[in-house]
Amino acid sequence: MSRHSKLQKQVLALYRQFLRAGRDKPGFVPRIRDEFRENARIKKTDVMHIEYLYRRGQRQLEQLRDVNTKQLGSFTKPKDLS
């Protein structure tokens, strides 16, 4: 079994915190899993991008833990109509 770096451990801990926080809110857990799976494709050597996403995730986790948070919103890029 390979050892994880400090950053990898932090990301895994953040993932577990998200799952715990989203457990009580309907529809959140699948969205959390999808988001983490999508970002799992980022190269391990792209540390700056991973750290940016980690900090962004921490802010989003605080919002999710807020009792007034009832649903998720997202911004998506429109698909080309050409």
Side-chain angles (χ1 to χ4, degrees), residues 7-77:
L7 184 57
Q8 286 173 320
K9 289 178 183 178
Q10 290 174 325
V11 171
L12 290 171
L14 182 67
Y15 179 63
R16 285 191 298 273
Q17 291 171 4
F18 260 104
L19 291 177
R20 286 187 199 114
R23 198 178 331 163
D24 301 329
K25 300 184 181 192
F28 279 60
V29 173
R31 173 74 187 277
I32 291 166
R33 286 187 178 136
D34 290 343
E35 189 77 23
F36 272 85
R37 282 188 184 127
E38 181 180 325
N39 288 323
R41 292 183 281 181
I42 297 171
K43 293 181 182 179
K44 293 179 183 179
T45 57
D46 195 357
V47 177
M48 294 296 286
H49 190 206
I50 295 169
E51 287 177 344
Y52 162 75
L53 290 172
Y54 176 74
R55 287 189 305 273
R56 187 175 126 208
Q58 287 178 315
R59 290 190 301 272
Q60 290 174 335
L61 179 61
E62 291 304 315
Q63 290 177 340
L64 179 61
R65 286 180 173 161
D66 185 359
V67 294
N68 297 319
T69 302
K70 304 286 186 229
Q71 62 185 5
L72 290 173
S74 66
F75 296 102
T76 58
K77 294 180 183 177

